[in-house]
Amino acid sequence: MNILGIETSCDETAVAVVKDGKEVLSSVVASSHEFHAQFGGILPELASRKQLEFMIPTLQEVLKQYPLSEIDAVAVTVGPGLIGSLLIGVECAKTIAMVTGKPIVPVNHVLAHPYANFLTTQSFHPPLTIQFPAIALVVSGGHTELFLMNTEKEMKWLGGTIDDAAGEAFDKSARLLGLGNGGGKALEELAAQCINESASQRVTLPRPLLHDNTLNFSFSGLKTAIQRAYTKINDLEPQFAYEIQEAITDVLVKKTLKAATQYSAQSILLGGGVSANKRLREKFIAATRQQVNASLHFPSFEYCTDNAAVIASYAYYHYLPQNYREISASPSLSVEI
Ligand code: KG4
Ligand code: ZN
């Protein structure tokens, strides 16, 4: 079954075709990230205008390779996200469904992120098979959530951030350190220049909720601690960036492994933009080896951040088509399922 996925929840305009939930036949992502850099952040009104510009050319590029006659169903992100942005993808998908009569599946894009681990491309076939029960950690700009997956088709929310997301802590820290809109990737690059790890001890940041009994996260106190500590830093930016990255990643690893132990997970899946972080991956590899008997899965880098392939994959496993008239954008769609 070939599913056409459409994703426009933030500042990306993405379209993909995925066969049977796994094989990426085509995936195109147009981003207005560079354009937004000059404003120091995403301006929702401008993001949606750019998406309006990009939507048809992005769709055309994919349909050039896979015409609608080869598509069995359409899947679209309906939330959570920016209302103006979501509307572009949702209305485009509904139009396709209306004109062609093809089934349309609404998708929660946060729940779709872990499905990046199911994807194969012509050049990439994940070496390990995912086994269940599995624990999935979604770490993105707006979300930090843990899910239990009993099968590919069953997801249960276990916990999440009670305030800010891990990605937001990365993004705000990057701005504080003068890295502009570079976000977690820029902070990771600065941290990699830290030549003396022990120098990072000069500033020690808190690891919020590291030892509590829940599977929740909290990053807003850390953000404040980072701001306070920054006033004391002079020429130690790489060390400071390193310690910020350590504080955020320590909590992500610890809580995920706690969930994996609690639910006797056979696999651990990561997803969302922050899962591209190499230090996070390194720590997950070490901790998983030492502490649990589970296989560890990271998406290939291009499918960590927002894309439409994960939307099409999720829709294959959760195939619940609806009448296009009943589908609408839902900016604050809950992930607590
Ligand atoms: O999943 P995503 O593309 O969008 C949302 O759904 O939010 O994630 C974007 C987030 C941003 O906060 C960005 O700073 C973060 O992912 N990110 C990273 C890295 N690459 C992207 N954080 C840490 N290290 C990275 N290498
Ligand atoms: Zn996302």
Side-chain angles (χ1 to χ4, degrees):
M1 179 185 224
N2 290 346
I3 299 188
L4 176 78
I6 297 180
E7 146 68 39
T8 60
S9 64
C10 192
D11 64 337
E12 277 88 11
T13 308
V15 180
V17 178
V18 177
K19 184 180 175 189
D20 296 338
K22 288 197 167 67
E23 197 185 334
V24 183
L25 301 178
S26 175
S27 175
V28 178
V29 181
S31 172
S32 60
H33 200 78
E34 301 288 310
F35 172 76
H36 281 98
Q38 59 186 306
F39 306 110
I42 295 167
L43 300 180
E45 175 67 23
L46 290 182
S48 60
R49 282 190 204 187
K50 282 280 164 200
Q51 283 162 320
L52 209 46
E53 243 176 74
F54 293 159
M55 189 70 256
I56 288 176
T58 310
L59 183 63
Q60 271 174 330
E61 200 173 327
V62 170
L63 294 183
K64 247 191 276 167
Q65 300 165 52
Y66 293 92
L68 279 174
S69 55
E70 291 182 31
I71 305 294
D72 300 297
V74 184
V76 63
T77 295
V78 292
L82 304 168
I83 181 67
S85 296
L86 288 167
L87 278 171
I88 314 264
V90 169
E91 293 309 312
C92 174
K94 282 167 70 175
T95 308
I96 297 172
M98 181 191 74
V99 172
T100 63
K102 291 189 196 291
I104 175 167
V105 182
V107 175
N108 179 322
H109 109 267
V110 175
L111 306 186
H113 270 301
Y115 288 78
N117 296 288
F118 291 78
L119 300 176
T120 62
T121 63
Q122 265 183 353
S123 57
F124 179 76
H125 286 259
L128 298 169
T129 314
I130 295 165
Q131 292 181 310
F132 299 94
I135 291 293
L137 171 72
V138 177
V139 255
S140 68
H143 288 270
T144 308
E145 318 286 346
L146 277 168
F147 298 95
L148 171 66
M149 294 177 75
N150 281 318
T151 68
E152 295 101 327
K153 300 178 180 191
E154 258 181 83
M155 284 179 93
K156 185 175 179 289
W157 181 80
L158 300 176
T161 182
I162 55 171
D163 41 53
D164 298 337
E168 199 180 331
F170 268 114
D171 294 343
K172 295 258 162 74
S173 303
R175 253 175 239 136
L176 187 71
L177 290 173
L179 303 171
N181 232 10
K185 191 164 189 292
L187 192 110
E188 176 178 16
E189 281 159 13
L190 182 61
Q193 294 167 26
C194 169
I195 31 159
N196 181 2
E197 283 178 31
S198 65
S200 68
Q201 301 309 319
R202 285 183 217 177
V203 175
T204 307
L205 295 166
R207 270 68 172 159
L209 303 189
L210 190 65
H211 298 295
D212 80 330
N213 284 329
T214 73
L215 293 173
N216 289 329
F217 302 89
S218 163
F219 292 102
S220 89
L222 176 62
K223 236 171 48 187
T224 314
I226 291 169
Q227 268 157 1
R228 279 211 199 101
Y230 185 61
T231 55
K232 297 180 203 145
I233 307 289
N234 294 316
D235 55 350
L236 290 172
E237 266 85 0
Q239 283 85 351
F240 189 46
Y242 185 86
E243 171 61 6
I244 293 170
Q245 185 171 253
E246 289 303 290
I248 299 171
T249 53
D250 274 352
V251 189
L252 294 174
V253 174
K254 172 102 183 183
K255 282 287 166 96
T256 307
L257 289 202
K258 183 187 174 92
T261 308
Q262 211 166 310
Y263 291 92
S264 307
Q266 300 295 301
S267 295
I268 295 173
L269 319 181
L270 265 65
V274 180
S275 69
N277 187 279
K278 295 191 195 73
R279 180 68 181 138
L280 178 70
R281 290 178 175 219
E282 218 172 81
K283 284 162 110 167
F284 259 112
I285 292 169
T288 303
R289 203 174 283 149
Q290 283 163 13
Q291 297 171 35
V292 289
N293 190 15
S295 60
L296 181 62
H297 305 258
F298 307 120
S300 73
F301 287 108
E302 65 191 301
Y303 298 115
C304 289
T305 45
D306 286 342
N307 66 87
V310 295
I311 306 305
S313 173
Y314 179 91
Y316 175 79
Y317 293 106
H318 302 256
Y319 191 71
L320 294 168
Q322 278 182 23
N323 188 306
Y324 73 87
R325 290 185 194 85
E326 286 159 16
I327 291 178
S328 54
S330 184
S332 26
L333 191 62
S334 174
V335 300
E336 297 177 23
I337 49 162

